[in-house]
Amino acid sequence: MLNLRKSMGEVAPEVFFARTGRNRQRFDENYRLVAGCIPYRLKLVQDKVRDGLLSRLEVLMISSPNRHDLIFPKGGWENDETLGEAACREALEEAGVRGIINESILGEWKFRSKSRQNSCSLEGTCKGYMFALEVTEELQYWPEQGNHERRWVCVSEAWKLCRYDWMREALAACIKAQHFSFFSHIHTSSCSRVLREGMSKYGINITVVKKIIMTGGACIYRINV
């Protein structure tokens, strides 16, 4: 796969390929170990006071062959890389993005591969670890572009598009992680209620612990999640 970059006025090819095979695949007993991430970005807005995090946060999801729903980039964790390196590699191979990974794991989930959904045995069962990845670069070409289209969506749409419950749980953990030490700015006296209702649909309970009244009547709410 070629990633074309301009160098000294010319187009220079950067060549990289997706890994194939499972010779280096890590296992934990019968579980195949999987690493993935939720790539995210914050939309630029003119009025940051009126636009809280939930309205600005977008996540990147990808399609998979012969399916209509979307997923997050993930794949096998191999024995020559760290867990975080595997998650970043999968984001590059499947979604064509690079970024800054939050080294705190969003969580650990056990699930079956799509080809083993109806199996009663442990064969095909995965133990997956998900991270949040702040996207800093989107490539025009990427190794698995032929199998995966990518799409930026708001968190409410992502919630509906998630194929499995564990994906929604990972998304909720990602949203929660973005809210630590975050000041949400809303020009209404019902800010506390708006924040609680906005987060509750993602299964996240918040507590407003500090309220500051700014010039013009704007309220800043310091929140715990």
Side-chain angles (χ1 to χ4, degrees), residues 61-191:
M61 303 187 75
I62 58 174
S63 64
S64 54
N66 303 317
R67 298 292 295 253
H68 297 293
D69 47 9
L70 300 179
I71 58 175
F72 298 118
K74 70 180 189 311
W77 176 19
E78 301 191 345
N79 60 19
D80 64 341
E81 58 189 353
T82 67
L83 191 55
E85 287 172 344
C88 290
R89 173 177 56 78
E90 291 296 334
L92 176 63
E93 292 178 356
E94 295 190 346
V97 293
R98 294 188 175 106
I100 302 169
I101 194 167
N102 185 329
E103 295 183 357
S104 298
I105 299 174
L106 294 175
E108 172 190 317
W109 289 272
K110 294 177 181 178
F111 51 85
R112 294 189 180 278
S113 62
K114 61 182 180 181
S115 61
R116 297 283 183 175
Q117 286 297 306
N118 298 320
S119 174
C120 296
S121 70
L122 286 179
E123 184 179 358
T125 303
C126 302
K127 183 184 294 184
Y129 304 87
M130 297 294 289
F131 295 82
L133 178 77
E134 181 182 2
V135 174
T136 58
E137 181 181 8
E138 293 184 56
L139 304 183
Q140 184 178 359
Y141 305 99
W142 63 96
E144 298 187 23
Q145 188 171 7
N147 293 326
H148 302 290
E149 296 181 359
R150 62 190 180 194
R151 177 179 164 190
W152 285 104
V153 296
C154 64
V155 291
S156 59
E157 184 176 3
W159 189 266
K160 297 175 184 177
L161 290 170
C162 286
R163 181 183 300 174
Y164 305 115
D165 288 341
W166 74 264
M167 291 176 57
R168 279 182 282 273
E169 293 173 5
L171 178 59
C174 181
I175 298 169
K176 179 178 179 179
Q178 304 313 311
H179 274 78
F180 276 114
S181 300
F182 181 79
F183 287 83
S184 185
H185 305 260
I186 302 179
H187 279 286
T188 70
S189 60
S190 59
C191 180

Side-chain angles (χ1 to χ4, degrees), residues 205-218:
N205 295 319
I206 68 171
T207 302
V208 176
V209 297
K210 188 174 182 180
K211 175 181 177 181
I212 304 171
I213 306 298
M214 299 182 65
T215 303

